[in-house]
Amino acid sequence: MTPHLGSGTQGDLYLGLDLSTQQLKAVALASHTGREDDLETHSSFAIHFDSDLAHYHTRGGVTVRKDEGDDDDGVVTAPVLMWVEALERLFEKMKAARFPFERVVSVSGAAQQHGSVYWSSHALDALHSLNSSSASLHAKSLHSILHNSFTVLESPIWQDTSTSSECRKLEEFLGQQEGDQTKSRRAGQHKLAQLTGSRAFERFTGSQILKLAQNEPATYDATARISLVSSFLASVLMGNYAAIDPADGSGMNLLNLETRDWEPSLTRDQAGQDSLRRKLGDVDATGSKAQGVVNQWFVDRYGFRPEVKVITFTGDNPATVMAMQAERGDAIVSLGTSDTLVLYTTEHPKLQDGSKFAGNDNAQAEASLSLSYLCHPVDSRGYLMLYCAKNGSLARERVRDQYAQQDWGVFNQYLKDAQREGLAGGLDAKGFYYFDAEIWPPVQGVYRFQDGQPVTEFHLAVSEPSSEKSKTGNTEYANRMNVLRLCESQFMAMRIRTLRSSSPPSSSSSSDTFPSNVTRILATGGASSNETILQLLADIFGVPVVQTSSGGDQSGVGSAAWGAAKKAFLFGRKDMATAADGAKAQTQSKEARVLLPELDKTRRYTAQIPEYIRLEGLLLKHRRDALA
């Protein structure tokens, strides 16, 4: 337990849960005044799957299936009963620490997105039994009560990549409805993205459900209800099926973003029956309803009050947006193992029509398909645009080790020096560093260009290339330029993806026609502690970058669990009239560091956007030629 309020404090508490890939976490928030800007962490707890539930034999919280040759076959799952047991273990841990369950007013939650849970025909009776007054039943563990409630014991999760054929079928099905048989998949990709916010991704729930229906039809038929991981967790707490949240449901390729309900063309079977819709259940279009109360099993065992509200659970990305108090125009940039940008916008993906993009070989039309859109968790007119790049911190570490003496101090100095030299010198040098196969463009390798032409390494233009001095100069120059060009290419890719749809980029556009939807960046993740990197991010986007803190004594600030607890506060507190409209909390705390852009550099980077687009198209063309 990590307490932050005095033990004598008797105010209300708001509980947030987060069932992530590797752990189940709880954060309790308190507010002395009942105002949002007064929220602070009371305590936090966690159960780590690998260590606390080692008998499930997961690694990193997941099970990776191997084929006959002991290679990964793309199937990545997690034991659903492990999640059930984790919830009981978590509350037992809180009880042992004398957590005051009786002070909790409401609970909400978050979970890893895209994962799915398959309930059996016996599940609803088992869930309802949690609300009974049977003393003998309440003596049983949660695991024993629910152990026969699932048709699929290993739930597919977001890391699964085994559904490529199902993705193709889904896209071709929609494309054929558009009428162009020769380009059915491409047309289907755009149609699916316009309807649901994303083209078909292997990790998304829709393709996982299709795989089950086709490969194991008896199991699919025996499934009475399909939940996301978030709605599964809420269902266990309520003792009844919970409705799916529209923000989390947006990661399924099944939810229509405009209606915030299931898309009929994707849920009807060949006979025209909407059988999948019945299995999916309702969507809470508001994302903020009190769907029920904590069931009697939890009341009796842990001391919750029977009127504790369960507010609709959401996905981890939307919950993080709430935790960081993002406003429209804010982009949360997470610099971790992968680099992720989540932009809070009012633009619907239908406005992002890929046919508008005039990039080489229609590269930008396809690049638009690398984005995903989600409904905002509580703003009915808002959306979250997601961009993810695999080559994030690990790529920066690799370049650091190869070119900067394995030292972040040297890396940062090279970055500063090379930015001055590279921009002031006017050298047209760019690099793309895809050590792992990238999501977009879907290529692998390191590619460098100087004066518009491919080169194996960056070099100075010197009169005596064979001299020892020239060799040393070239090496030092290459070291600095690789550090700079890596970071530039990572952040330029983000900026290009956030351009306003009203001004689609092309290689012939002028440098003053690239307005961005981003007005402020909230930086998080491991590399967000590096101010040199964040300054470059500010310069490229031309907007302030807020270096979000870890919260100090405020354990869990900025986390999905914290955002879930905040949601419980906003929509589950006793007196909703006490909402302090004029007291909106700001993400930028007094301790937050804000880095302002150097606008002269921003203008130079803006002028380079067409060339980055051209080179991205060139890399894509080379990949296609190699596959032909």
Side-chain angles (χ1 to χ4, degrees), residues 483-528:
V483 168
L484 174 65
R485 299 315 180 194
L486 162 71
C487 296
E488 281 181 342
S489 65
Q490 290 176 327
F491 298 154
M492 287 293 284
M494 291 182 182
R495 183 172 177 197
I496 290 170
R497 302 303 181 267
T498 60
L499 297 176
R500 291 180 189 168
S501 60
S502 58
S503 54
S506 73
S507 57
S508 60
S509 300
S510 63
S511 63
D512 59 350
T513 59
F514 299 108
S516 172
N517 284 309
V518 178
T519 58
R520 182 179 65 159
I521 291 174
L522 311 176
T524 185
S528 66

Side-chain angles (χ1 to χ4, degrees), residues 248-565:
D248 205 10
S250 306
M252 300 176 73
N253 282 139
L254 294 173
L255 188 95
N256 185 302
L257 277 119
E258 283 191 299
T259 65
R260 291 187 165 226
D261 200 356
W262 306 121
E263 169 54 40
S265 64
L266 297 169
T267 57
R268 289 196 182 114
D269 58 27
Q270 293 180 344
Q273 300 297 312
D274 213 345
S275 57
L276 178 54
R277 184 188 182 95
R278 290 194 295 272
K279 291 181 185 290
L280 294 170
D282 294 332
V283 177
D284 170 17
T286 69
S288 59
K289 285 182 180 178
Q291 292 199 34
V293 295
V294 171
N295 68 58
Q296 193 65 38
W297 188 90
F298 290 98
V299 171
D300 290 345
R301 181 165 288 214
Y302 302 110
F304 283 103
R305 289 178 286 188
E307 67 273 15
V308 172
K309 299 175 183 175
V310 177
I311 309 300
T312 300
F313 283 30
T314 188
D316 52 3
N317 283 313
T320 301
V321 170
M322 294 196 68
M324 299 186 72
Q325 193 67 37
E327 302 174 1
R328 291 181 182 179
D330 283 348
I332 298 172
V333 173
S334 177
L335 301 174
T337 303
S338 60
D339 285 347
T340 304
L341 180 144
V342 181
L343 172 63
Y344 183 2
T345 179
T346 57
E347 285 206 350
H348 187 276
K350 276 192 175 181
L351 301 176
Q352 302 282 350
D353 183 357
S355 64
K356 293 180 180 180
F357 292 97
N360 291 273
D361 199 17
N362 212 22
Q364 282 304 112
E366 293 189 48
S368 68
L369 294 173
S370 67
L371 305 174
S372 294
Y373 284 81
L374 308 178
C375 296
H376 190 277
V378 294
D379 179 359
S380 62
R381 292 174 293 179
Y383 302 93
L384 303 178
M385 188 203 83
L386 274 69
Y387 166 73
C388 182
K390 281 186 182 179
N391 292 274
S393 285
L394 294 181
R396 288 185 287 271
E397 289 173 11
R398 189 159 174 175
V399 168
R400 176 204 63 186
D401 293 346
Q402 184 174 350
Y403 294 100
Q405 305 171 35
Q406 303 181 11
D407 187 295
W408 283 118
V410 175
F411 183 98
N412 292 342
Q413 190 58 51
Y414 282 177
L415 189 58
K416 294 175 183 177
D417 293 345
Q419 193 179 24
R420 286 194 298 269
E421 296 170 11
L423 291 175
L427 292 173
D428 181 19
K430 294 174 176 58
F432 299 85
Y433 300 77
Y434 307 129
F435 296 109
D436 292 323
E438 191 49 82
I439 298 172
W440 189 267
V443 298
Q444 186 170 11
V446 176
Y447 305 88
R448 300 178 183 88
F449 298 88
Q450 199 155 347
D451 297 322
Q453 299 299 315
V455 294
T456 56
E457 187 55 271
F458 297 121
H459 59 273
L460 282 165
V462 293
S463 56
E464 299 179 60
S466 60
S467 70
E468 190 62 35
K469 183 177 180 180
S470 298
K471 292 178 182 178
T472 303
N474 261 325
T475 300
E476 293 177 352
Y477 176 78
N479 290 344
R480 293 194 295 273
M481 293 303 279
N482 277 288
V483 168
L484 174 65
R485 299 315 180 194
L486 162 71
C487 296
E488 281 181 342
S489 65
Q490 290 176 327
F491 298 154
M492 287 293 284
M494 291 182 182
R495 183 172 177 197
I496 290 170
R497 302 303 181 267
T498 60
L499 297 176
R500 291 180 189 168
S501 60
S502 58
S503 54
S506 73
S507 57
S508 60
S509 300
S510 63
S511 63
D512 59 350
T513 59
F514 299 108
S516 172
N517 284 309
V518 178
T519 58
R520 182 179 65 159
I521 291 174
L522 311 176
T524 185
S528 66
S529 61
N530 188 321
E531 292 188 8
T532 305
I533 289 177
L534 295 192
Q535 184 61 56
L536 179 63
L537 180 63
D539 294 342
I540 286 177
F541 273 85
V543 300
V545 173
V546 180
Q547 185 182 36
T548 60
S549 67
S550 60
D553 287 340
Q554 285 274 64
S555 177
V557 169
S559 69
W562 209 95

Side-chain angles (χ1 to χ4, degrees), residues 13-327:
L13 296 178
Y14 305 90
L15 188 61
L17 304 175
D18 176 30
L19 203 170
S20 66
T21 310
Q22 300 188 52
Q23 66 177 359
L24 175 61
K25 184 176 183 179
V27 169
L29 300 184
S31 175
H32 293 294
T33 63
R35 293 159 58 104
E36 181 183 347
D37 59 352
D38 190 42
L39 284 173
E40 58 183 1
T41 304
H42 170 274
S43 52
S44 63
F45 304 83
I47 294 294
H48 298 272
F49 301 141
D50 290 0
S51 56
D52 294 325
L53 297 167
H55 51 284
Y56 288 98
H57 307 292
T58 58
R59 297 186 63 180
V62 305
T63 303
V64 179
R65 196 176 76 181
K66 303 286 187 179
D67 60 19
E68 293 180 357
D70 202 34
D71 294 321
D72 297 351
D73 64 1
V75 175
V76 183
T77 60
V80 64
L81 287 172
M82 178 181 73
W83 295 337
V84 171
E85 188 172 347
L87 183 59
E88 184 172 353
R89 287 278 194 99
L90 179 70
F91 284 160
E92 290 294 334
K93 189 174 186 178
M94 295 167 71
K95 184 178 181 179
R98 297 185 179 180
F99 176 81
F101 289 98
E102 72 279 359
R103 288 169 51 191
V104 174
V105 172
S106 53
V107 57
S108 189
Q112 53 181 290
Q113 294 198 252
H114 315 303
S116 45
V117 174
Y118 301 82
W119 300 91
S120 72
S121 58
H122 309 293
L124 194 56
D125 287 340
L127 288 170
H128 285 172
S129 72
L130 294 169
N131 282 304
S132 76
S133 56
S134 169
S136 60
L137 183 71
H138 291 165
K140 294 182 178 180
S141 69
L142 199 60
H143 179 282
S144 64
I145 295 171
L146 297 177
H147 76 285
N148 286 326
S149 296
F150 308 100
T151 58
V152 177
L153 293 178
E154 290 285 333
S155 289
I157 65 162
W158 65 274
Q159 293 176 334
D160 188 283
T161 59
S162 65
T163 60
S164 297
S165 63
E166 286 77 17
C167 289
R168 175 179 290 275
K169 290 174 184 177
L170 185 58
E171 291 169 343
E172 289 179 346
F173 167 73
L174 280 182
Q176 289 165 3
Q177 291 183 343
E178 294 294 289
D180 189 345
Q181 300 297 317
T182 61
K183 299 179 179 179
S184 62
R185 188 176 187 191
R186 180 65 57 81
Q189 287 176 332
H190 285 286
K191 182 66 175 179
L192 188 63
Q194 289 176 357
L195 286 172
T196 72
S198 307
R199 68 172 175 85
F201 287 106
E202 285 84 354
R203 67 185 185 275
F204 275 36
T205 324
S207 59
Q208 295 289 344
I209 295 173
L210 180 59
K211 176 185 172 183
L212 180 68
Q214 293 186 334
N215 295 353
E216 301 179 54
T219 302
Y220 177 78
D221 290 341
T223 299
R225 184 70 167 240
I226 301 173
S227 292
L228 293 177
V229 182
S230 61
S231 59
F232 148 79
L233 191 59
S235 300
V236 175
L237 278 172
M238 291 194 305
N240 200 3
Y241 291 142
I244 288 175
D245 160 70
D248 205 10
S250 306
M252 300 176 73
N253 282 139
L254 294 173
L255 188 95
N256 185 302
L257 277 119
E258 283 191 299
T259 65
R260 291 187 165 226
D261 200 356
W262 306 121
E263 169 54 40
S265 64
L266 297 169
T267 57
R268 289 196 182 114
D269 58 27
Q270 293 180 344
Q273 300 297 312
D274 213 345
S275 57
L276 178 54
R277 184 188 182 95
R278 290 194 295 272
K279 291 181 185 290
L280 294 170
D282 294 332
V283 177
D284 170 17
T286 69
S288 59
K289 285 182 180 178
Q291 292 199 34
V293 295
V294 171
N295 68 58
Q296 193 65 38
W297 188 90
F298 290 98
V299 171
D300 290 345
R301 181 165 288 214
Y302 302 110
F304 283 103
R305 289 178 286 188
E307 67 273 15
V308 172
K309 299 175 183 175
V310 177
I311 309 300
T312 300
F313 283 30
T314 188
D316 52 3
N317 283 313
T320 301
V321 170
M322 294 196 68
M324 299 186 72
Q325 193 67 37
E327 302 174 1

